[in-house]
Amino acid sequence: MAERTVWWRTGWRVAPVAALALAVLASGSCTAPPRAATSPRPIAERSTDATRVVRARRGAVAAAAPEASRAGAEVLAAGGNAFDAVVAAVFAMSVTRPDETGIGGGGFVLWHHAADGTQGALDGREVAPSAAHRDMYLDAAGQPTAESLDGPRAAGVPGLVALLARVHQGRGRLPWARLLQPAIRLAEEGFVVGPTLAKELEGRREVLARYPESAALFLPGGRPWQVGEWLRQPNLAATLRALAEGGPEAFYTGPIAEELSRACRAAGGLITPEDLAGYRVVEREPLRAEYRGSRVISFPPPSSGGALLIQMLNVMSGWDLQAWGWGSPRHLHALAETMRRAYADRSEHMGDPDHVPVPVEWLTSRERAEAIRSSIDLARATPSDRVKPGAPPAAPESPHTAHISVMDVEGNAVGLTHTINTGVGSGFVAGATGVLLNNQMDDFAAAPGAQNAFGLVQGEKNSIAPHKRPLSSMTPTLVLDEGGRVYLVLGSPGGSHIITAVLQVLSNVVDYGMDLDLATSVPRIHHQWWMEPPEPDRIEADPDLDPEAIRSLIGLGHVVRTEGLEVVGEVQGIQRLGDGEMLAVSDPRSEGQPAGY
Ligand code: DON
């Protein structure tokens, strides 16, 4: 069996965040947010890079690539709205961050339209090709192979271009072709290779070297691009130009679709021209919940993100988190125990709702939250082998990522999480299209109970079937005040870490009155019931988590790891402050820089 990549990115990388959190022990009763934080929080102590926070009055974009934020802000300044800006930003990012995303991938959008106060969820997730089948990633001994991660067989049918077109249609103000201009320029003229891209190319060197177009693009002279070098992508530029002129259909039918499919199948992949022509974005009903006076709106299945986020918030709503104090052992322990149980439910009950029944109402119900809360011993960790997924009522109910947050002066808000899955996706560039394909098929269960690249244990409901969408953790989320105005747009990459990152940043703002800068900067933890060995039942924590708190968690029976880990998500968010100013924040763990107008 070929060795499987375990991490969505190779190695640990987190910008040093100054010791900062201990002063944030807010007190007082829980009222509707946003509230002012009650403790002194000198900005100089927490921001290691001033470029990762921007204050703006007319609109803001937070993305994990400066070129993407700038592309979005340019569009806002040119008279576009949040829907235009997010499209321009995502296209730009799909050029400059091929380690994380690209038009060979997919994503989810959650939007709020200020004029009529409506929200919607658009699902542009990849689908399994029609020739996909349940056991396609098992070897003769029934063991998972690396084919779900490496090479063209790992790719689902890409949805990102269709998704962006749907976001724009009827909502955007500027012409579609205008929104592709920054991306075309970046692909044609080039951009400076950043540290994460360089690291990922090095990490996936062996896979990239297998495919001539991948090697020609990403391993010039046999060596991966290095930080500071200038990367041009002329084939991708030509593809983007065709999309600007021909619209999204030019990706799904005609010469680009034919070349993508030809190259993919010639190298052993499954995507046919019919698969591309048949791709559809699905409009879904966002999940809605109330949390301490705020309305939380998040993404439904086939993401597990929204349902788990709401389940965990429901559990937390029964505790006086403020009285416990931010970062206290009790706070961290209760979070970890909540996460452990939520991910157990995920493993058993979630998948593509168009193929399997997903008990969302039960997962997000007060009853389920109460059952989880009452199963938590606040004085002792419950080992994961004693935590099982819950059982919903018998009658079934009906049946390497980037996040970009945008807000505009009109009050529109968009959160869009997009991905080609793990670092550099499948490593396969589809012929002359210049399109790097995703390896999203790894988000399916290769076999029930098998772990994916994020260590997530997945069940029968997430098994592979033609045209099915793999279960995701992407969690674009909006938080609205009592007046129905969006005051927080949040999202993150990080696979399984996405949901817990969004949860903690949201709670830091709502429960502890932190501003988004601080809420994003302070250390986070993660638990997901089971992770990959060794120490599969563990809390992962940012390395700057208070050592005293870590010692207390160990004393409560937890295994805590802070070294050699992936980052605990990389949140890109925007907060609307009381006076209408927008605070756009890129997680200090990311390379992001927001832009405002
Ligand atoms: O949909 C998911 O949950 C994963 N495919 C997301 C991958 C991810 O976040 C990697 N990030 N860079």
Side-chain angles (χ1 to χ4, degrees):
M1 172 187 143
E3 198 185 318
R4 285 165 56 87
T5 311
V6 173
W7 300 109
W8 60 278
R9 279 203 189 126
T10 29
W12 169 261
R13 146 184 101 74
V14 61
V17 180
L20 43 86
L22 299 176
V24 191
L25 302 174
S27 59
S29 62
C30 299
T31 52
R35 298 180 307 267
T38 52
S39 314
R41 294 164 290 111
I43 283 174
E45 274 184 31
R46 65 177 190 258
S47 297
T48 56
D49 178 358
T51 61
R52 61 167 201 81
V53 179
V54 156
R55 288 172 181 270
R57 291 236 154 242
R58 301 198 52 79
V61 184
E67 300 89 348
S69 298
R70 278 202 295 272
E74 268 172 32
V75 158
L76 289 171
N81 60 15
F83 301 101
D84 296 308
V86 80
V87 172
V90 172
F91 270 125
M93 184 142 181
S94 73
V95 174
T96 65
R97 294 298 304 272
D99 51 319
E100 292 201 329
T101 189
I103 60 174
F108 298 138
V109 180
L110 198 62
W111 55 263
H112 169 83
H113 197 252
D116 56 9
T118 56
Q119 297 89 27
L122 294 171
D123 169 358
R125 183 75 163 161
E126 296 88 340
V127 299
S130 35
H133 57 92
R134 184 190 166 87
D135 298 333
M136 63 186 280
Y137 299 122
L138 298 182
D139 65 14
Q143 292 302 310
T145 69
E147 282 197 335
S148 65
L149 285 165
D150 301 338
R153 273 174 76 80
V157 183
L160 193 62
V161 173
L163 180 69
L164 295 176
R166 274 293 279 280
V167 172
H168 181 245
Q169 198 180 25
R171 301 184 185 92
R173 204 169 276 154
L174 298 185
W176 166 257
R178 162 72 182 84
L179 307 180
L180 277 114
Q181 290 318 309
I184 294 171
R185 197 177 59 237
L186 288 161
E188 215 157 51
E189 296 174 10
F191 65 95
V192 176
V193 172
T196 314
L197 173 56
K199 189 169 173 182
E200 290 304 322
L201 293 175
E202 178 61 48
R204 300 300 299 282
R205 188 176 187 153
E206 186 267 323
V207 176
L208 292 166
R210 287 182 211 162
Y211 307 106
E213 276 87 4
S214 308
L217 186 56
F218 294 122
L219 306 176
R223 185 200 72 146
W225 291 103
Q226 309 288 302
V227 179
E229 290 182 338
W230 195 250
L231 170 55
R232 289 191 182 84
Q233 301 175 78
N235 286 350
L236 182 60
T239 294
L240 291 169
R241 220 176 296 111
L243 299 188
E245 285 158 16
E249 300 76 32
F251 188 84
Y252 293 96
T253 56
I256 294 174
E258 279 156 28
E259 171 63 1
L260 191 151
S261 166
R262 181 206 63 73
C264 182
R265 288 192 294 168
L270 302 181
I271 298 173
T272 62
E274 293 72 31
D275 285 331
L276 286 161
Y279 185 84
R280 296 287 176 269
V281 170
V282 181
E283 204 158 323
R284 302 201 183 270
E285 194 47 40
L287 299 184
R288 299 166 197 275
E290 187 274 338
Y291 184 63
R292 302 199 206 268
S294 285
R295 282 163 60 198
V296 176
I297 301 188
S298 195
F299 212 89
S303 178
S304 60
L308 258 60
L309 175 70
I310 290 171
Q311 182 182 85
M312 292 190 284
L313 289 173
N314 285 343
V315 174
M316 287 156 58
S317 69
W319 292 317
D320 190 349
L321 296 184
Q322 280 201 345
W324 292 359
W326 184 89
S328 63
R330 177 168 278 212
H331 172 220
L332 297 171
H333 169 70
L335 272 180
E337 291 300 308
T338 304
M339 293 170 182
R340 184 198 304 276
R341 287 158 176 81
Y343 280 77
D345 276 358
R346 180 194 195 277
S347 73
E348 177 87 6
H349 298 299
M350 303 201 74
D352 181 347
D354 297 337
H355 287 249
V356 293
V358 181
V360 174
E361 272 175 38
W362 170 78
L363 285 164
T364 58
S365 65
R366 295 275 159 195
E367 294 69 33
R368 179 68 192 133
E370 274 156 28
I372 288 176
R373 203 182 312 115
S374 61
S375 76
I376 292 175
D377 180 348
L378 286 174
R380 197 76 206 149
T382 313
S384 281
D385 56 14
R386 283 207 252 125
V387 171
K388 303 289 175 232
E397 295 172 31
S398 52
H400 271 127
T401 307
H403 177 84
I404 295 185
S405 292
V406 185
M407 258 191 205
D408 67 21
V409 67
E410 295 159 38
N412 299 314
V414 188
L416 195 156
T417 313
H418 47 122
T419 184
I420 51 173
N421 199 25
T422 62
V424 200
S426 66
F428 179 75
V429 173
T433 65
V435 175
L436 175 65
L437 289 179
N438 67 83
N439 58 358
Q440 219 70 250
M441 294 291 283
D442 187 70
D443 276 350
F444 280 118
Q451 289 179 301
N452 73 357
F454 302 98
L456 286 166
V457 175
Q458 320 230 44
E460 185 58 44
K461 286 192 175 173
N462 191 27
S463 60
I464 306 170
H467 310 298
K468 195 174 173 186
R469 292 170 191 231
L471 183 60
S472 173
S473 302
M474 295 189 288
T475 315
T477 298
L478 306 174
V479 187
L480 281 68
D481 62 20
E482 282 160 346
R485 285 175 300 267
V486 174
Y487 73 88
L488 213 48
V489 189
L490 294 176
S492 174
S496 54
H497 298 76
I498 294 173
I499 314 170
T500 53
V502 171
L503 173 78
Q504 288 167 90
V505 174
L506 193 160
S507 167
N508 288 344
V509 173
V510 173
D511 290 305
Y512 296 104
M514 296 183 197
D515 72 18
L516 187 59
D517 180 11
L518 184 64
T520 307
S521 308
V522 292
R524 295 196 286 265
I525 63 165
H526 173 76
H527 199 299
Q528 62 176 52
W529 188 42
W530 293 117
M531 301 207 74
E532 78 297 337
E535 300 168 338
D537 178 358
R538 65 173 183 258
I539 292 178
E540 299 196 333
D542 274 325
D544 54 348
L545 188 67
D546 175 27
E548 229 6 90
I550 294 177
R551 270 194 289 279
S552 303
L553 286 171
I554 293 168
L556 290 169
H558 292 281
V559 172
V560 184
R561 256 171 71 179
T562 57
E563 299 298 326
L565 299 173
E566 251 319 318
V567 292
V568 186
E570 295 178 2
V571 172
Q572 306 292 327
I574 303 179
Q575 180 180 27
R576 191 184 296 274
L577 303 172
D579 62 355
E581 193 177 37
M582 293 165 225
L583 184 66
V585 177
S586 286
D587 202 314
R589 300 159 185 82
S590 80
E591 265 171 47
Q593 284 181 12
Y597 158 62

